[in-house]
Amino acid sequence: MEQWFYNDNLGRGPDNEEILLAGVSIRGVSKSFGSANILNGISLDICDGEFLTLLGPSGCGKSTLLRIIAGLERQDCGTIEVAGNKVDHLRPKRRDVAMVFQSYALYPHLTVSENMALPLRMGRLSAWRRLPVIGALLPGARSVSAEIKTEVARTAKALGIDHLLARKPGQLSGGQRQRVAVGRAMVRHPAVFLMDEPLSNLDAKLRVQMRGEIKELHRRLGVTFIYVTHDQTEAMTMSDRIAVMLDGQLAQAASPQQIYASPADRRVAELIGAPKINLLEAAPRGEGLLAVAGSTLALDSKLDDGNSVTLGIRPESLQFAERAGLNTLTGRLRYVEHLGTDLFAHVDVPGSSEPLVARLPVEFASNLQSDQTVHLRVRREQALLFSADGRRLSESDGQFTQLRSCAG
Amino acid sequence: MNLSMKIMAGSVRHAILLATGTLVLLPFLWMVSLSLKPPAELFSSSFKLLPEHWFAVENYTKALTAAPLPRFMLNGVIVCAAILLLQIIVCAPAAYALAKIRFAGREVIFGIVLIGLLIPHQVLALPLFILCYWLGILNTYAALIVPFVVSPFGIFLLRQFFMSIPDDIIHAARLDGLSELSIVWRIMLPMSLPAVIAFSIVSVVGHWNDLFWPLLVVHSQGFMPPSLGIVTFANAEAGNDYGPLMAGATLVVAPLVICFFAAQRWFIEGLTAGSVK
Ligand SMILES: Nc1ncnc2c1ncn2[C@@H]1O[C@H](COP(=O)(O)OP(=O)(O)OP(=O)(O)O)[C@@H](O)[C@H]1O
Ligand SMILES: [Mg+2]
């Protein structure tokens, strides 16, 4: 594999040490287009050098937030800080951020090397020196141009696109265009990389490869990455932290493991995990008991009767059980999907239109026939309870939400 | 069988195209033919395309010497080039603002541009003439150029083309440090090359051949564009001497034809370059 990167100019010098404290701070940013509220008071601190993924369904305002950070769109209220400095009054080019667009947004009339050189030429050559013909004759122009050329060549080499420098974007494949777009962002050595679904136009195989390469790029550069995607696999595999956006609000920002294991919101739980988390309507019944799908589960503490709640169970939180018992759900097996090491059992349970999906070790395959009755035990420490409005019920509410252990 | 059908259909198609093409080209052919003939043959009853006695040298020499035809042509080049250059300088930023920048009153201004598109130039001739008089630019190059600098057609055409360029490209350019004006010159115009060339052809042909406005504002030969020059030449110098007159007309049209063929190559290239992506 070619080297993604070059070694000089990377580290920010000792005089920039304080930059390490803060990457990007988003403080109460709101934005509406006409009457549509797209962003509602988003606040988020992103550490320097962090790889943060913005995850959310289509149309939830991820790209809009990215454009606001870049200064391409003006927020209605709130502030953006980059490296501890407010940048709201700064033009995009002064914010020390670079962006890779979903559509790549390469200039079709310029060659790859001209595309990559443009940000450097704009930054380092005065308007006169950029003029065709005359510009090259002005003092200094030639040496700066040569310098830019070598830098572009070096970046291109690091990205493995040095043989494409003379081509126009129209003559490149999707993956090559994607690299050029990354290269154009890289040559500027920005403090923050903004990437808006950079892999969504690639085929599955290339996407996996580029995922690794972008992660490696982040490791080598050590600068802040804000990466937009609605692909949960990308988010889970690449990020230090995932910020889940729903309906213009930040639903949760946490590490991939935390987002998966303890989602703050029912919709976050639904967004992450494939197959999707099983959600079952549940009704508290008297002393710490919960009626779910015709079975009874025991809770660690009391929930008010009459408050309907939703029980969320990940497929791997269900275990095969020989017979019904406490914390066991019973249903009829619809069908089984084999995955090699594991299998997904789709089980119809009373009171739910969608089948419950359980991920079971493949040894159980012989025990499972279509239409037979199966019992599934819920791993108590992994079951999640959500209130009617979708919030996760947690200890801070005074309502302990774990299932009681079978023994006690 | 199938092949002969194809050949049949092809020949019918070509016959129709040839017939209509000839109809359009005939006056030009006749013009060129007349410019090659001596006066005696001009009105002979038998129609011949080529002259019996070649008189081309005499006709063209007279056309070039009797009237300051080179001067007229130079004026034409100066006027057309200045108009086109200023039109693009004015229209491209205006089109960019109307296509890509959100500001209050944008729709109203675009509406005004559309109205401007509908008004024939002749309607504005009188007020423009008075304006030129007040400015004291009558009978100068400026009088031939200034009234055409703002072209609603150019603004409209470029705006439509700019609309189709994705916003992400403009965002990328802003991040790369381009100012709004350099976005226009470095990104939008080069990406709209087919539209720019189409507009250039329309503009140059229109103003090279324009007779109406020059007739109103210019009376000294030093500023006359070719079409007006030919007319005065016909009246004053040539009289019924059609040979040299046709020679002059041929010379006036020739640069346009040459330019058009040259531009056509670019035109087609520009169009296909966009579609290959
Ligand atoms: N310039 C604009 N004018 C009006 N509405 C806009 C504008 N830009 C975005 N929107 C609206 O804002 C909402 C959020 O758009 P945005 O592009 O940020 O979504 P997204 O989260 O990036 O979605 P996707 O994952 O599909 O890219 C959408 O409903 C969109 O229609
Ligand atoms: Mg988007």
Side-chain angles (χ1 to χ4, degrees):
Chain A
M1 189 57 236
E2 65 274 359
Q3 281 286 296
W4 248 96
F5 194 62
Y6 39 88
N7 288 314
D8 44 9
N9 257 331
L10 297 187
R12 335 211 101 242
D15 47 327
N16 289 351
E17 211 71 72
E18 71 280 2
I19 285 173
L20 292 172
L21 300 175
V24 177
S25 299
I26 303 162
R27 301 251 156 84
V29 166
S30 296
K31 173 80 189 172
S32 47
F33 290 109
S35 60
N37 278 337
I38 304 301
L39 300 176
N40 286 318
I42 302 255
S43 292
L44 181 63
D45 283 308
I46 301 150
C47 308
D48 189 50
E50 188 173 11
F51 194 115
L52 180 110
T53 301
L54 283 175
L55 182 68
S58 194
C60 71
K62 307 180 296 288
S63 301
T64 306
L65 182 59
L66 222 53
R67 285 203 297 273
I68 288 173
I69 296 172
L72 299 167
E73 195 95 61
R74 186 167 278 280
Q75 66 269 36
D76 297 338
C77 62
T79 60
I80 303 286
E81 291 176 14
V82 174
N85 303 313
K86 278 199 178 148
V87 294
D88 301 300
H89 57 288
L90 294 179
R91 292 159 159 274
K93 64 170 170 180
R94 305 220 144 271
R95 293 193 176 194
D96 207 10
V97 302
M99 188 154 169
V100 178
F101 294 85
Q102 180 172 0
S103 60
Y104 310 140
L106 300 174
Y107 311 119
H109 58 291
L110 300 180
T111 63
V112 168
S113 72
E114 286 165 340
N115 262 285
M116 287 172 64
L118 190 62
L120 296 181
R121 288 176 61 81
M122 298 309 294
R124 296 187 195 167
L125 290 170
S126 63
W128 286 108
R129 288 185 188 156
R130 285 198 304 268
L131 286 177
V133 189
I134 311 166
L137 302 175
L138 293 177
R142 198 162 301 166
S143 68
V144 177
S145 291
E147 198 181 293
I148 290 173
K149 210 170 164 191
T150 52
E151 264 176 63
V152 167
R154 202 165 39 175
T155 308
K157 192 143 185 287
L159 291 167
I161 48 172
D162 41 345
H163 58 295
L164 305 172
L165 283 176
R167 294 213 203 152
K168 297 253 172 92
Q171 302 162 315
L172 302 178
S173 74
Q176 290 168 334
R177 275 182 226 181
Q178 206 272 343
R179 282 165 203 257
V180 176
V182 171
R184 186 175 63 179
M186 257 170 79
V187 288
R188 290 172 54 199
H189 302 299
V192 181
F193 268 89
L194 306 174
M195 299 199 164
D196 192 353
E197 305 192 30
L199 307 185
S200 62
N201 290 335
L202 305 181
D203 67 38
K205 183 163 165 270
L206 196 55
R207 204 179 306 174
V208 173
Q209 183 193 341
M210 290 307 293
R211 214 157 72 192
E213 290 189 14
I214 288 182
K215 192 65 198 143
E216 177 65 9
L217 176 71
H218 170 250
R219 204 179 61 75
R220 296 284 183 89
L221 292 174
V223 299
T224 313
F225 273 51
I226 303 178
Y227 185 98
V228 165
T229 182
H230 51 219
D231 179 322
Q232 51 153 320
T233 323
E234 272 174 36
M236 295 296 281
T237 53
M238 298 170 79
S239 328
D240 295 327
R241 212 150 52 107
I242 298 176
V244 180
M245 281 177 66
L246 294 167
D247 296 338
Q249 272 166 338
L250 194 64
Q252 188 173 10
S255 71
Q257 297 82 344
Q258 275 176 309
I259 292 261
Y260 187 80
S262 78
D265 193 280
R266 177 189 157 144
R267 292 166 304 165
V268 176
E270 278 184 284
L271 199 66
I272 308 262
K276 249 170 64 175
I277 190 168
N278 300 296
L279 291 169
L280 297 167
E281 292 306 313
R285 288 265 185 283
E287 268 302 305
L289 291 179
L290 199 62
V292 182
S295 309
T296 306
L297 307 183
L299 288 179
D300 257 354
S301 69
K302 209 179 114 186
L303 280 176
D304 292 339
D305 282 14
N307 275 353
S308 83
V309 293
T310 307
L311 176 69
I313 314 164
R314 298 258 179 222
E316 65 275 16
S317 305
L318 289 165
Q319 284 171 303
F320 188 78
E322 292 296 341
R323 64 190 77 80
L326 191 64
N327 293 347
T328 307
L329 299 171
T330 303
R332 210 167 44 83
L333 184 67
R334 201 190 270 189
Y335 59 89
V336 171
E337 285 174 318
H338 288 273
L339 286 178
T341 55
D342 286 324
L343 55 83
F344 289 129
H346 294 247
V347 178
D348 282 318
V349 291
S352 168
S353 55
E354 286 184 33
L356 204 63
V357 182
R359 183 178 195 139
L360 303 174
V362 80
E363 302 89 86
F364 291 104
S366 53
N367 299 15
L368 298 168
Q369 258 97 49
S370 281
D371 282 336
Q372 77 169 81
T373 302
V374 288
H375 306 289
L376 296 166
R377 183 178 304 120
V378 181
R379 285 182 217 255
R380 53 178 282 277
E381 66 284 358
Q382 289 171 3
L384 308 165
L385 276 177
F386 302 100
S387 68
D389 61 4
R391 253 178 338 105
R392 167 100 184 279
L393 294 174
S394 62
E395 285 157 282
S396 58
D397 299 327
Q399 291 178 316
F400 201 46
T401 54
Q402 283 193 345
L403 300 180
R404 205 186 309 153
S405 72
C406 296
Chain B
M1 162 70 202
N2 208 347
L3 191 70
S4 62
M5 283 279 283
K6 256 187 193 161
I7 293 173
M8 274 275 286
S11 36
V12 169
R13 207 160 47 224
H14 278 93
I16 294 173
L17 286 175
L18 273 176
T20 47
T22 314
L23 218 60
V24 173
L25 281 178
L26 205 60
F28 289 94
L29 272 182
W30 206 344
M31 173 183 80
V32 176
S33 163
L34 288 182
S35 75
L36 303 175
K37 290 178 181 175
E41 284 183 45
L42 288 184
F43 299 105
S44 68
S45 50
S46 62
F47 175 77
K48 288 202 190 68
L49 209 53
L50 289 180
E52 274 156 27
H53 305 285
W54 283 81
F55 210 63
V57 176
E58 291 82 347
N59 281 342
Y60 280 86
T61 315
K62 182 144 188 225
L64 284 170
T65 50
L69 196 59
R71 177 79 224 174
F72 296 155
M73 307 255 284
L74 180 68
N75 290 341
V77 169
I78 291 171
V79 168
C80 285
I83 288 177
L84 181 61
L85 193 74
L86 293 172
Q87 273 177 337
I88 288 177
I89 288 176
V90 171
C91 293
Y96 173 69
L98 287 175
K100 290 294 182 186
I101 296 178
R102 273 174 273 163
F103 59 92
R106 182 171 82 160
E107 302 313 314
V108 176
I109 294 176
F110 184 59
I112 294 172
V113 171
L114 287 181
I115 292 173
L117 206 56
L118 299 176
I119 298 177
H121 185 247
Q122 283 76 358
V123 173
L124 298 176
L126 191 60
L128 280 175
F129 182 84
I130 294 169
L131 200 65
C132 287
Y133 170 73
W134 276 346
L135 290 175
I137 55 172
L138 284 177
N139 201 29
T140 63
Y141 282 133
L144 293 172
I145 295 165
V146 174
F148 300 103
V149 163
V150 181
S151 160
F153 176 65
I155 295 175
F156 175 75
L157 189 75
L158 289 178
R159 183 239 182 212
Q160 295 310 95
F161 221 89
F162 289 174
M163 293 279 279
S164 67
I165 294 178
D167 285 348
D168 275 357
I169 297 249
I170 294 161
H171 288 158
R174 285 188 189 143
L175 274 168
D176 283 348
L178 274 73
S179 65
E180 296 301 298
L181 276 178
S182 31
I183 290 176
V184 175
W185 306 128
R186 287 172 166 268
I187 310 293
M188 302 304 269
L189 267 191
M191 281 181 71
S192 312
L193 204 61
V196 173
I197 289 176
F199 174 67
S200 305
I201 290 174
V202 172
S203 166
V204 168
V205 170
H207 294 111
W208 184 270
N209 292 335
D210 188 21
L211 178 62
F212 176 75
W213 182 251
L215 197 57
L216 290 184
V217 293
V218 171
H219 53 76
S220 53
Q221 279 194 340
F223 298 115
M224 282 183 184
S227 51
L228 180 58
I230 289 286
V231 169
T232 51
F233 175 46
N235 293 343
E237 316 284 340
N240 288 344
D241 203 355
Y242 288 110
L245 190 58
M246 288 302 121
T250 306
L251 286 175
V252 166
V253 175
L256 276 191
V257 174
I258 292 166
C259 284
F260 184 79
F261 279 124
Q264 192 191 33
R265 204 175 66 83
W266 288 105
F267 191 53
I268 290 165
E269 225 166 59
L271 282 177
T272 48
S275 63
V276 169
K277 261 203 304 174

mmCIF file with all atom_site columns, all heavy atoms in Angstrom, chain B residues 7-20:
data_model
loop_
_atom_site.group_PDB
_atom_site.id
_atom_site.type_symbol
_atom_site.label_atom_id
_atom_site.label_alt_id
_atom_site.label_comp_id
_atom_site.label_asym_id
_atom_site.label_entity_id
_atom_site.label_seq_id
_atom_site.pdbx_PDB_ins_code
_atom_site.Cartn_x
_atom_site.Cartn_y
_atom_site.Cartn_z
_atom_site.occupancy
_atom_site.B_iso_or_equiv
_atom_site.pdbx_formal_charge
_atom_site.auth_seq_id
_atom_site.auth_comp_id
_atom_site.auth_asym_id
_atom_site.auth_atom_id
_atom_site.pdbx_PDB_model_num
ATOM 1   N N   . ILE B 1 7  ? -30.045 3.417  -47.373 1.00 0.00 ? 7  ILE B N   1
ATOM 2   C CA  . ILE B 1 7  ? -29.429 4.332  -48.335 1.00 0.00 ? 7  ILE B CA  1
ATOM 3   C C   . ILE B 1 7  ? -30.493 5.257  -48.918 1.00 0.00 ? 7  ILE B C   1
ATOM 4   O O   . ILE B 1 7  ? -30.294 6.464  -49.045 1.00 0.00 ? 7  ILE B O   1
ATOM 5   C CB  . ILE B 1 7  ? -28.716 3.536  -49.449 1.00 0.00 ? 7  ILE B CB  1
ATOM 6   C CG1 . ILE B 1 7  ? -27.513 2.805  -48.840 1.00 0.00 ? 7  ILE B CG1 1
ATOM 7   C CG2 . ILE B 1 7  ? -28.274 4.458  -50.574 1.00 0.00 ? 7  ILE B CG2 1
ATOM 8   C CD1 . ILE B 1 7  ? -26.825 1.866  -49.801 1.00 0.00 ? 7  ILE B CD1 1
ATOM 9   N N   . MET B 1 8  ? -31.664 4.678  -49.228 1.00 0.00 ? 8  MET B N   1
ATOM 10  C CA  . MET B 1 8  ? -32.780 5.474  -49.738 1.00 0.00 ? 8  MET B CA  1
ATOM 11  C C   . MET B 1 8  ? -33.134 6.598  -48.765 1.00 0.00 ? 8  MET B C   1
ATOM 12  O O   . MET B 1 8  ? -33.177 7.771  -49.135 1.00 0.00 ? 8  MET B O   1
ATOM 13  C CB  . MET B 1 8  ? -34.019 4.565  -49.901 1.00 0.00 ? 8  MET B CB  1
ATOM 14  C CG  . MET B 1 8  ? -34.112 3.820  -51.221 1.00 0.00 ? 8  MET B CG  1
ATOM 15  S SD  . MET B 1 8  ? -34.873 4.868  -52.444 1.00 0.00 ? 8  MET B SD  1
ATOM 16  C CE  . MET B 1 8  ? -36.594 4.803  -51.873 1.00 0.00 ? 8  MET B CE  1
ATOM 17  N N   . ALA B 1 9  ? -33.384 6.185  -47.506 1.00 0.00 ? 9  ALA B N   1
ATOM 18  C CA  . ALA B 1 9  ? -33.789 7.164  -46.501 1.00 0.00 ? 9  ALA B CA  1
ATOM 19  C C   . ALA B 1 9  ? -32.719 8.242  -46.373 1.00 0.00 ? 9  ALA B C   1
ATOM 20  O O   . ALA B 1 9  ? -33.017 9.438  -46.328 1.00 0.00 ? 9  ALA B O   1
ATOM 21  C CB  . ALA B 1 9  ? -34.011 6.467  -45.159 1.00 0.00 ? 9  ALA B CB  1
ATOM 22  N N   . GLY B 1 10 ? -31.452 7.796  -46.369 1.00 0.00 ? 10 GLY B N   1
ATOM 23  C CA  . GLY B 1 10 ? -30.346 8.745  -46.257 1.00 0.00 ? 10 GLY B CA  1
ATOM 24  C C   . GLY B 1 10 ? -30.337 9.717  -47.411 1.00 0.00 ? 10 GLY B C   1
ATOM 25  O O   . GLY B 1 10 ? -30.171 10.927 -47.221 1.00 0.00 ? 10 GLY B O   1
ATOM 26  N N   . SER B 1 11 ? -30.569 9.209  -48.623 1.00 0.00 ? 11 SER B N   1
ATOM 27  C CA  . SER B 1 11 ? -30.486 10.127 -49.771 1.00 0.00 ? 11 SER B CA  1
ATOM 28  C C   . SER B 1 11 ? -31.652 11.102 -49.788 1.00 0.00 ? 11 SER B C   1
ATOM 29  O O   . SER B 1 11 ? -31.484 12.264 -50.163 1.00 0.00 ? 11 SER B O   1
ATOM 30  C CB  . SER B 1 11 ? -30.373 9.358  -51.089 1.00 0.00 ? 11 SER B CB  1
ATOM 31  O OG  . SER B 1 11 ? -31.127 8.182  -51.042 1.00 0.00 ? 11 SER B OG  1
ATOM 32  N N   . VAL B 1 12 ? -32.843 10.630 -49.363 1.00 0.00 ? 12 VAL B N   1
ATOM 33  C CA  . VAL B 1 12 ? -33.981 11.556 -49.280 1.00 0.00 ? 12 VAL B CA  1
ATOM 34  C C   . VAL B 1 12 ? -33.672 12.665 -48.283 1.00 0.00 ? 12 VAL B C   1
ATOM 35  O O   . VAL B 1 12 ? -33.848 13.857 -48.554 1.00 0.00 ? 12 VAL B O   1
ATOM 36  C CB  . VAL B 1 12 ? -35.271 10.802 -48.861 1.00 0.00 ? 12 VAL B CB  1
ATOM 37  C CG1 . VAL B 1 12 ? -36.372 11.790 -48.515 1.00 0.00 ? 12 VAL B CG1 1
ATOM 38  C CG2 . VAL B 1 12 ? -35.713 9.871  -49.967 1.00 0.00 ? 12 VAL B CG2 1
ATOM 39  N N   . ARG B 1 13 ? -33.144 12.236 -47.113 1.00 0.00 ? 13 ARG B N   1
ATOM 40  C CA  . ARG B 1 13 ? -32.806 13.220 -46.085 1.00 0.00 ? 13 ARG B CA  1
ATOM 41  C C   . ARG B 1 13 ? -31.819 14.244 -46.633 1.00 0.00 ? 13 ARG B C   1
ATOM 42  O O   . ARG B 1 13 ? -31.973 15.446 -46.471 1.00 0.00 ? 13 ARG B O   1
ATOM 43  C CB  . ARG B 1 13 ? -32.218 12.486 -44.883 1.00 0.00 ? 13 ARG B CB  1
ATOM 44  C CG  . ARG B 1 13 ? -32.408 13.203 -43.582 1.00 0.00 ? 13 ARG B CG  1
ATOM 45  C CD  . ARG B 1 13 ? -32.259 12.271 -42.398 1.00 0.00 ? 13 ARG B CD  1
ATOM 46  N NE  . ARG B 1 13 ? -31.095 11.419 -42.474 1.00 0.00 ? 13 ARG B NE  1
ATOM 47  C CZ  . ARG B 1 13 ? -31.112 10.118 -42.182 1.00 0.00 ? 13 ARG B CZ  1
ATOM 48  N NH1 . ARG B 1 13 ? -32.239 9.542  -41.835 1.00 0.00 ? 13 ARG B NH1 1
ATOM 49  N NH2 . ARG B 1 13 ? -30.021 9.403  -42.252 1.00 0.00 ? 13 ARG B NH2 1
ATOM 50  N N   . HIS B 1 14 ? -30.801 13.728 -47.309 1.00 0.00 ? 14 HIS B N   1
ATOM 51  C CA  . HIS B 1 14 ? -29.780 14.637 -47.820 1.00 0.00 ? 14 HIS B CA  1
ATOM 52  C C   . HIS B 1 14 ? -30.319 15.533 -48.922 1.00 0.00 ? 14 HIS B C   1
ATOM 53  O O   . HIS B 1 14 ? -29.928 16.690 -49.027 1.00 0.00 ? 14 HIS B O   1
ATOM 54  C CB  . HIS B 1 14 ? -28.573 13.837 -48.313 1.00 0.00 ? 14 HIS B CB  1
ATOM 55  C CG  . HIS B 1 14 ? -27.657 13.453 -47.200 1.00 0.00 ? 14 HIS B CG  1
ATOM 56  N ND1 . HIS B 1 14 ? -27.746 12.250 -46.532 1.00 0.00 ? 14 HIS B ND1 1
ATOM 57  C CD2 . HIS B 1 14 ? -26.652 14.142 -46.594 1.00 0.00 ? 14 HIS B CD2 1
ATOM 58  C CE1 . HIS B 1 14 ? -26.836 12.201 -45.594 1.00 0.00 ? 14 HIS B CE1 1
ATOM 59  N NE2 . HIS B 1 14 ? -26.160 13.338 -45.594 1.00 0.00 ? 14 HIS B NE2 1
ATOM 60  N N   . ALA B 1 15 ? -31.230 14.981 -49.742 1.00 0.00 ? 15 ALA B N   1
ATOM 61  C CA  . ALA B 1 15 ? -31.808 15.802 -50.810 1.00 0.00 ? 15 ALA B CA  1
ATOM 62  C C   . ALA B 1 15 ? -32.550 16.993 -50.213 1.00 0.00 ? 15 ALA B C   1
ATOM 63  O O   . ALA B 1 15 ? -32.396 18.134 -50.666 1.00 0.00 ? 15 ALA B O   1
ATOM 64  C CB  . ALA B 1 15 ? -32.754 14.949 -51.649 1.00 0.00 ? 15 ALA B CB  1
ATOM 65  N N   . ILE B 1 16 ? -33.338 16.731 -49.156 1.00 0.00 ? 16 ILE B N   1
ATOM 66  C CA  . ILE B 1 16 ? -34.089 17.817 -48.518 1.00 0.00 ? 16 ILE B CA  1
ATOM 67  C C   . ILE B 1 16 ? -33.128 18.839 -47.922 1.00 0.00 ? 16 ILE B C   1
ATOM 68  O O   . ILE B 1 16 ? -33.263 20.057 -48.115 1.00 0.00 ? 16 ILE B O   1
ATOM 69  C CB  . ILE B 1 16 ? -35.021 17.253 -47.419 1.00 0.00 ? 16 ILE B CB  1
ATOM 70  C CG1 . ILE B 1 16 ? -36.095 16.378 -48.066 1.00 0.00 ? 16 ILE B CG1 1
ATOM 71  C CG2 . ILE B 1 16 ? -35.651 18.384 -46.620 1.00 0.00 ? 16 ILE B CG2 1
ATOM 72  C CD1 . ILE B 1 16 ? -36.959 15.645 -47.072 1.00 0.00 ? 16 ILE B CD1 1
ATOM 73  N N   . LEU B 1 17 ? -32.099 18.331 -47.218 1.00 0.00 ? 17 LEU B N   1
ATOM 74  C CA  . LEU B 1 17 ? -31.141 19.237 -46.601 1.00 0.00 ? 17 LEU B CA  1
ATOM 75  C C   . LEU B 1 17 ? -30.419 20.069 -47.663 1.00 0.00 ? 17 LEU B C   1
ATOM 76  O O   . LEU B 1 17 ? -30.225 21.277 -47.497 1.00 0.00 ? 17 LEU B O   1
ATOM 77  C CB  . LEU B 1 17 ? -30.113 18.441 -45.782 1.00 0.00 ? 17 LEU B CB  1
ATOM 78  C CG  . LEU B 1 17 ? -30.631 17.879 -44.465 1.00 0.00 ? 17 LEU B CG  1
ATOM 79  C CD1 . LEU B 1 17 ? -29.572 17.012 -43.805 1.00 0.00 ? 17 LEU B CD1 1
ATOM 80  C CD2 . LEU B 1 17 ? -31.040 19.008 -43.534 1.00 0.00 ? 17 LEU B CD2 1
ATOM 81  N N   . LEU B 1 18 ? -30.060 19.397 -48.760 1.00 0.00 ? 18 LEU B N   1
ATOM 82  C CA  . LEU B 1 18 ? -29.352 20.110 -49.821 1.00 0.00 ? 18 LEU B CA  1
ATOM 83  C C   . LEU B 1 18 ? -30.228 21.196 -50.424 1.00 0.00 ? 18 LEU B C   1
ATOM 84  O O   . LEU B 1 18 ? -29.777 22.315 -50.665 1.00 0.00 ? 18 LEU B O   1
ATOM 85  C CB  . LEU B 1 18 ? -28.923 19.125 -50.914 1.00 0.00 ? 18 LEU B CB  1
ATOM 86  C CG  . LEU B 1 18 ? -27.573 18.446 -50.703 1.00 0.00 ? 18 LEU B CG  1
ATOM 87  C CD1 . LEU B 1 18 ? -27.325 17.434 -51.808 1.00 0.00 ? 18 LEU B CD1 1
ATOM 88  C CD2 . LEU B 1 18 ? -26.457 19.489 -50.668 1.00 0.00 ? 18 LEU B CD2 1
ATOM 89  N N   . ALA B 1 19 ? -31.510 20.854 -50.658 1.00 0.00 ? 19 ALA B N   1
ATOM 90  C CA  . ALA B 1 19 ? -32.419 21.816 -51.273 1.00 0.00 ? 19 ALA B CA  1
ATOM 91  C C   . ALA B 1 19 ? -32.568 23.058 -50.396 1.00 0.00 ? 19 ALA B C   1
ATOM 92  O O   . ALA B 1 19 ? -32.402 24.195 -50.861 1.00 0.00 ? 19 ALA B O   1
ATOM 93  C CB  . ALA B 1 19 ? -33.780 21.167 -51.501 1.00 0.00 ? 19 ALA B CB  1
ATOM 94  N N   . THR B 1 20 ? -32.845 22.831 -49.094 1.00 0.00 ? 20 THR B N   1
ATOM 95  C CA  . THR B 1 20 ? -33.030 23.993 -48.215 1.00 0.00 ? 20 THR B CA  1
ATOM 96  C C   . THR B 1 20 ? -31.711 24.736 -48.039 1.00 0.00 ? 20 THR B C   1
ATOM 97  O O   . THR B 1 20 ? -31.686 25.970 -48.007 1.00 0.00 ? 20 THR B O   1
ATOM 98  C CB  . THR B 1 20 ? -33.573 23.546 -46.843 1.00 0.00 ? 20 THR B CB  1
ATOM 99  O OG1 . THR B 1 20 ? -32.799 22.427 -46.400 1.00 0.00 ? 20 THR B OG1 1
ATOM 100 C CG2 . THR B 1 20 ? -35.027 23.151 -46.930 1.00 0.00 ? 20 THR B CG2 1
#
